[in-house]
Amino acid sequence: MNRISSAFIVAWFILALPLSAQSARNDMVIILDGSGTFASRIEQARAAAERYADSLRSIRLARHETSRDRITVIAMDAVPEVIWRGGTQDLKALNPQAWTTRLASRRDYRHCRDVTGAFELASRSFDGDPRFENRFLLVFSDLLDEPPRSSM
């Protein structure tokens, strides 16, 4: 019985290895300043993020499959929130005004900036096994921390 159990465990471990390798990816989180002072730079930030995402395609994690990179965009304002998630191809297909439009819809939060909250959300966005991921954090902000004092 011990031999059968040991054989089963070894076989399961060998079968599980390729599954872990298939989950390899490049994971990029973009923190985008949603405050009023940064509004004129959103298009520049989007273009820079797209160029950087393109450069990720050349980074391989000992894998042969096609790129399965993941990109998360976080609005850094009074209430940091994930405003977009997708892959490199999704980012390229996105309407260039999409980030500007999304941040404009959050105009009630633009007078404050919770830097700590945005970085905490970014750290939670990096999920998965770090052995199979390259992690990248891009921040487009002046990093002035102005969280809401009492209410939004």
Side-chain angles (χ1 to χ4, degrees), residues 6-40:
S6 298
F8 175 74
I9 290 171
V10 169
W12 179 83
F13 181 73
I14 291 171
L15 290 174
L17 283 177
L19 294 176
S20 297
Q22 287 178 0
S23 67
R25 69 171 178 243
N26 295 311
D27 201 355
M28 182 168 72
V29 174
I30 301 166
I31 297 178
L32 189 59
D33 193 327
S35 69
T37 59
F38 202 78
S40 64

Side-chain angles (χ1 to χ4, degrees), residues 14-69:
I14 291 171
L15 290 174
L17 283 177
L19 294 176
S20 297
Q22 287 178 0
S23 67
R25 69 171 178 243
N26 295 311
D27 201 355
M28 182 168 72
V29 174
I30 301 166
I31 297 178
L32 189 59
D33 193 327
S35 69
T37 59
F38 202 78
S40 64
R41 300 182 190 134
I42 299 301
E43 178 53 34
Q44 293 170 338
R46 187 205 57 78
E50 188 175 312
R51 284 191 305 273
Y52 197 83
D54 273 341
S55 73
L56 290 182
R57 299 170 114 187
S58 64
I59 298 173
R60 293 287 176 245
L61 300 164
R63 62 185 190 217
H64 301 288
E65 73 273 7
T66 58
S67 176
R68 294 176 1 149
D69 301 335

Side-chain angles (χ1 to χ4, degrees), residues 10 14 50 64 67 73 84 96 127 130 137 139 141:
V10 169
I14 291 171
E50 188 175 312
H64 301 288
S67 176
V73 179
W84 186 84
D127 65 349
L137 176 63
V139 180
S141 174

